[in-house]
Amino acid sequence: MSTSSVPRPESDAAFRPLRRPSLTHLRRHRVPEGALRALALFAAVRLAGVAAVLAAGHLTGHSAARSLAHSWDSRWYLHIATHGYGRLIWITPTGGVQADWAFFPLYPGLVRALTTVSPLTPGQAALLVAWAAAPVAAYGLYRLGHHLYGRAVATTLVGLWAVLPHAVELTIAYTESLFAALAVWSLYCVLKNRWLWAGSLAALAGLSRPTGFAVAAAVGIAAAQEALRRRGRVPVTLWAGALIAPLGWFGYVLWVGERTGDLLGGYFKVQSAWDSRFDFGAGALRFLRALFLYGGGVVYPAALMIVLTCVVLFGLLCLDRAPLVLVVFAGVLVLLVTCGSGSFSSKPRFLLPVFPLLIPPARALARTWRVRPARALLVVGALAAVSVLYGAYVVVVAHSPL
């Protein structure tokens, strides 16, 4: 498992005379062939998803603003963006005290910045951030897939990410698209040996979601692997990137701890009030027992199938001998989702940014496209229809937490 296949520059490169960029140099930095087509495919599917949400809202009497920008966690982010932290709590029916410190600051910070410099409302700004981050993430996914496997697999990767069952949550006021954009570009920078960029983007990812430390873990382990492979003869930027990577996540956790009076444990107590903790799968087992005894409509069985499919895909990713940085990132997030407590209906959303899991099916589908294009098109079309319709259902109709 190698983190890069890109040769390093020669040691005398700094002493070469300045000259005009060559055509080869310019080609190296242009948009890869096929990227615009892949992004157009991604945009078409996700715009269809937004249209389905609006149509479902019209048929059921739900406002578009509520469905897209003011559902579930979105309300907490918008309140933080408008009023700051420490001003909103919720007392649960069981007496638990849920505080806004559970939500990481990058997304509401960007929303607040947009509302400060523009006439946008907080809801509009939140949607703009999410809608801007989603294609950035899709383009990063294409670049990563193109670097590792070529144009066909890269296009298929973007297409599969667009048609995931919960991909609609990339286009509502949630943090998944922002986190995915930062994560994919950070891991891409690792593959290209751009360690300072990788660490900086990982630090920002750590400020966007509680699971953001998965990016820092992937960067750190990939840096250690590279150092071992080169017997310590690595640039100082590698160590700097590895040290920068976890600063965002640790910084926010310590800030919450200082605000709560418990520097090291305060943040985890806040999350525990939200029933969000690593319980080694005990919560998942309780959910399975309740599901088999009492049923769970549509959303909960679908969530279970999605989680189980992701576990299988992680096994295939390991067998596929993917780069270590991708395996670590995917493994940490899959472990957190499967062995963490919390609402099971939210787990597919947490798995949305785990794009490396799509590499094995993308490679298989790209091979199918070469020999049986009609069959591959049928598969993608069916997945797109399910994604659009199911996305509208979970956002507008279902009353389960997103």
Side-chain angles (χ1 to χ4, degrees):
M1 297 181 184
S2 173
T3 59
S4 176
S5 59
V6 180
R8 296 183 180 277
E10 297 295 332
S11 59
D12 61 344
F15 302 100
R16 293 173 182 168
L18 294 176
R19 59 184 180 182
R20 297 180 64 182
S22 65
L23 183 60
T24 302
H25 177 79
L26 292 175
R27 285 176 177 173
R28 190 179 305 158
H29 295 282
R30 71 180 183 179
V31 176
E33 184 181 4
L36 296 180
R37 187 180 305 170
L39 289 177
L41 172 65
F42 176 84
V45 175
R46 293 307 353 127
L47 286 174
V50 172
V53 170
L54 297 178
H58 177 73
L59 293 174
T60 58
H62 290 83
S63 71
R66 181 177 179 182
S67 298
L68 295 174
H70 296 273
S71 58
W72 297 97
D73 290 354
S74 300
R75 295 191 291 265
W76 289 83
Y77 286 118
L78 295 180
H79 193 278
I80 294 168
T82 304
H83 303 288
Y85 280 100
R87 297 179 180 272
L88 181 62
I89 63 170
W90 170 258
I91 308 300
T92 68
T94 58
V97 179
Q98 296 177 339
D100 54 13
W101 289 322
F103 298 91
F104 275 54
L106 183 61
Y107 183 60
L110 292 174
V111 173
R112 187 182 184 94
L114 273 178
T115 56
T116 301
V117 301
S118 73
L120 296 175
T121 67
Q124 292 168 343
L127 285 178
L128 180 58
V129 172
W131 290 359
V136 171
Y139 180 54
L141 184 55
Y142 186 89
R143 292 290 296 260
L144 186 148
H146 191 276
H147 172 70
L148 292 174
Y149 305 108
R151 182 178 63 179
V153 175
T155 303
T156 310
L157 266 176
V158 174
L160 288 178
W161 197 54
V163 301
L164 289 176
H166 280 67
V168 67
E169 290 164 1
L170 297 172
T171 46
I172 64 175
Y174 267 57
T175 59
E176 270 60 40
S177 58
L178 177 62
F179 175 56
L182 294 168
V184 68
W185 281 104
S186 175
L187 303 188
Y188 175 73
C189 287
V190 169
L191 294 172
K192 301 288 284 186
N193 285 327
R194 298 168 184 167
W195 293 102
L196 279 179
W197 275 108
S200 300
L201 292 168
L204 289 175
L207 287 171
S208 65
R209 285 199 54 77
T211 52
F213 74 86
V215 187
V219 172
I221 292 176
Q225 181 203 35
E226 182 73 359
L228 287 173
R229 186 180 70 85
R230 295 174 59 96
R231 298 182 181 180
R233 298 185 183 92
V234 293
V236 68
T237 53
L238 180 144
W239 300 117
L243 291 174
I244 292 170
L247 293 184
W249 190 86
F250 277 117
Y252 183 70
V253 167
L254 294 177
W255 180 81
V256 173
E258 189 274 332
R259 295 292 295 271
T260 60
D262 183 356
L263 186 63
L264 298 180
Y267 167 77
F268 300 101
K269 291 178 181 177
V270 169
Q271 285 286 6
S272 182
W274 286 82
D275 192 27
S276 178
R277 67 181 71 87
F278 190 83
D279 61 1
F280 299 95
L285 293 176
R286 289 194 298 269
F287 161 77
L288 289 175
R289 181 176 180 274
L291 181 64
F292 289 130
L293 288 177
Y294 308 111
V298 175
V299 171
Y300 289 99
L304 176 61
M305 290 184 62
I306 291 169
V307 171
L308 292 177
T309 300
C310 287
V311 173
V312 173
L313 289 177
F314 178 70
L316 294 176
L317 180 71
C318 295
L319 293 175
D320 203 50
R321 299 182 63 82
L324 180 64
V325 67
L326 302 183
V327 173
V328 172
F329 172 70
V332 171
L333 286 181
V334 169
L335 182 65
L336 290 174
V337 170
T338 55
C339 295
S341 60
S343 174
F344 213 90
S345 63
S346 299
K347 292 184 182 292
R349 172 169 65 88
F350 300 154
L351 290 166
L352 265 178
V354 197
F355 53 85
L357 298 180
L358 299 175
I359 289 177
R363 298 186 70 184
L365 194 59
R367 290 193 296 268
T368 302
W369 176 264
R370 286 193 291 269
V371 295
R372 294 184 176 89
R375 181 176 298 181
L377 190 61
L378 180 63
V379 170
V380 174
L383 291 174
V386 170
S387 175
V388 168
L389 296 175
Y390 187 71
Y393 175 78
V394 297
V395 171
V396 178
V397 180
H399 298 290
S400 304
L402 293 176

